[in-house]
Amino acid sequence: MGPVFLITDPLSVEESLKENRAPVEKVYEQIVKDLTRAVENLDGVEYGSADLGRATVEAARGLLAKVYMTLGQFAEARPLLEAVIAEKGEDLIPYVSIFDINNEMNEEILFAIRYKTGNLGIGSPFANMFAPNNSGICVVVGSGDGNNYPTDEIRDLYEPEDVRRDVTIADHYIDESKPNPVIPDSYVKKFLSEVTVRYDAENDWPVLRYADVLLMYAEVMNELQGPAAGLHYLNLVRQRAGLQALESSEIGSRYVFRTALEKERRLELAFENHRWFDLLRWGKTREVINDHIHRIEWAFYSTYDNAPPYLQDYQLILPVPQSVIDNNSYVVTQNPYY
């Protein structure tokens, strides 16, 4: 993350035009302060069914722990994650039930962005966004945009017995109007439900799931105490997926544990908007993205005279919109190299 505007008090228009971006450290200080206050104020708060979906103390603790991990402060993250685990226990619901629209805000979901179908203007767009392009009504009413499509790499990464694959990815759809009705077009189906109006699905978007907390705790314990301390929590997630528990003899070092955990997070949380931030935390963003460009996108880019546009360090943050600079050209400057 780069410097952003940090506004904690009301500003006049004149004052806003003199405001500069705050350093990254100051932004994180405010995030930690806000989430710490949320933990304190939500502790002991219980909601009735009418308030289903409001932030809970477990959500605040989990999000604060994730911030500390991003900052490399694993010791600070540990007690927050332990408090969530003490409250939730070790029983996990079946993976297929997590995303069932008839089972929303279930025990797995700690915090979610809620959507509601019914042409109310608050439906989820992701069923249509992720369905295959030009698929008509074969996958979802209103066809699809073909966004966020699964690569062959992640499709092949799942082990045969991993139940998460069929919940997450479809390899084809059926179009009865075609001579060969099986259309080999892969798409994400985690957030797929029936709609009558385009971009108006029911599916909530999970922001924080309990399995994420278990995997965060496994990561924290590996960093603080070594692989033996985190293996049980990694295996809880693996076994829910139908996989064999990893033995301690297979995970002999922190490095090997990190590799196993990175794969598990990728498969467990696939297409839930965690991967980029995990890669940033692990310092692997350029390595992974450039490998993807070379192996997956090379056929496209190699048709051009210029070399493929490999990701550079400065591109880990986005450019400042020119309109923002124009509004305050005396203070706000562009990020380096843009």
Side-chain angles (χ1 to χ4, degrees):
M1 187 177 77
V4 297
F5 295 101
L6 179 61
I7 309 300
T8 57
D9 296 300
L11 296 179
S12 67
V13 173
E14 293 75 16
E15 289 172 327
S16 70
L17 294 177
K18 300 176 183 178
E19 190 73 19
N20 204 345
R21 295 183 292 164
V24 172
E25 295 77 12
K26 291 293 184 183
V27 177
Y28 272 114
E29 283 179 14
Q30 187 63 45
I31 293 172
V32 169
K33 180 180 178 181
D34 289 344
L35 286 172
T36 300
R37 184 174 60 181
V39 170
E40 294 169 351
N41 291 343
L42 290 169
D43 195 12
V45 174
E46 296 183 4
Y47 298 121
S49 58
D51 290 312
L52 187 65
R54 289 187 179 274
T56 64
V57 67
E58 286 80 18
R61 284 171 174 152
L63 292 174
L64 180 55
K66 185 165 288 196
V67 172
Y68 279 134
M69 291 174 67
T70 300
L71 298 173
Q73 299 174 7
F74 296 102
E76 287 79 359
R78 177 179 176 176
L80 293 161
L81 297 170
E82 287 176 341
V84 178
I85 293 171
E87 175 66 26
K88 300 290 290 184
E90 296 186 356
D91 293 330
L92 299 175
I93 68 173
Y95 195 76
V96 68
S97 299
I98 299 170
F99 310 97
D100 186 345
I101 62 172
N102 297 308
N103 191 35
E104 293 180 323
M105 296 309 300
N106 53 67
E107 287 298 309
E108 175 82 12
I109 305 298
L110 299 182
F111 193 63
I113 299 171
R114 306 217 63 198
Y115 292 99
K116 187 172 181 60
T117 191
N119 202 19
L120 303 170
I122 52 175
S124 168
F126 298 110
N128 290 104
M129 289 177 69
F130 295 169
N133 196 22
N134 298 320
S135 55
I137 61 170
C138 299
V139 175
V140 64
V141 169
S143 193
D145 298 332
N147 295 329
N148 213 19
Y149 66 91
T151 62
D152 290 340
E153 181 201 10
I154 193 169
R155 290 164 59 194
D156 296 340
L157 196 60
Y158 289 93
E159 298 174 44
E161 62 272 25
D162 195 328
V163 302
R164 296 173 297 196
R165 190 189 193 281
D166 286 342
V167 176
T168 303
I169 295 171
D171 293 316
H172 65 273
Y173 64 90
I174 304 298
D175 185 348
E176 297 291 356
S177 69
K178 305 291 185 182
N180 183 358
V182 180
I183 310 299
D185 202 346
S186 185
Y187 60 95
V188 177
K189 64 177 188 177
K190 250 182 190 178
F191 311 103
L192 184 65
S193 64
E194 294 183 5
V195 304
T196 56
V197 178
R198 185 173 171 85
Y199 303 132
D200 189 44
E202 174 67 25
N203 311 70
D204 293 342
W205 184 278
V207 174
L208 182 66
R209 294 203 279 114
Y210 186 45
D212 189 358
V213 168
L214 292 173
L215 292 174
M216 284 194 289
Y217 188 62
E219 183 175 345
V220 163
M221 294 309 292
N222 178 57
E223 297 302 324
L224 293 177
Q225 296 185 7
L231 186 57
H232 173 68
Y233 302 94
L234 175 61
N235 279 333
L236 285 176
V237 177
R238 285 180 56 83
Q239 289 173 302
R240 194 260 296 274
L243 303 176
Q244 292 290 322
L246 295 172
E247 301 292 337
S248 57
S249 58
E250 302 175 77
I251 310 293
S253 68
R254 282 184 169 88
Y255 174 81
V256 174
F257 189 96
R258 289 185 196 117
T259 301
L261 179 118
E262 288 166 12
K263 177 182 177 181
E264 210 59 44
R265 285 191 62 85
R266 186 178 184 190
L267 298 179
E268 174 67 28
L269 303 169
F271 307 103
E272 295 181 43
N273 205 33
H274 295 279
R275 177 70 170 161
W276 174 260
F277 303 101
D278 284 348
L279 291 175
L280 288 174
R281 182 171 77 254
W282 299 328
K284 292 191 170 185
T285 312
R286 283 191 63 194
E287 171 191 339
V288 171
I289 297 299
N290 287 335
D291 178 67
H292 171 82
I293 291 172
H294 183 77
R295 291 189 302 105
I296 309 299
E297 307 291 350
W298 184 268
F300 172 81
Y301 286 116
S302 62
T303 61
Y304 292 85
D305 293 334
N306 295 328
Y310 288 122
L311 186 73
Q312 304 298 319
D313 281 340
Y314 77 91
Q315 294 171 311
L316 295 179
I317 58 176
L318 296 173
V320 179
Q322 186 61 46
S323 60
V324 175
I325 298 174
D326 291 343
N327 284 337
N328 190 351
S329 58
Y330 294 105
V331 178
V332 180
T333 57
Q334 184 58 271
N335 288 327
Y337 303 108
Y338 280 109

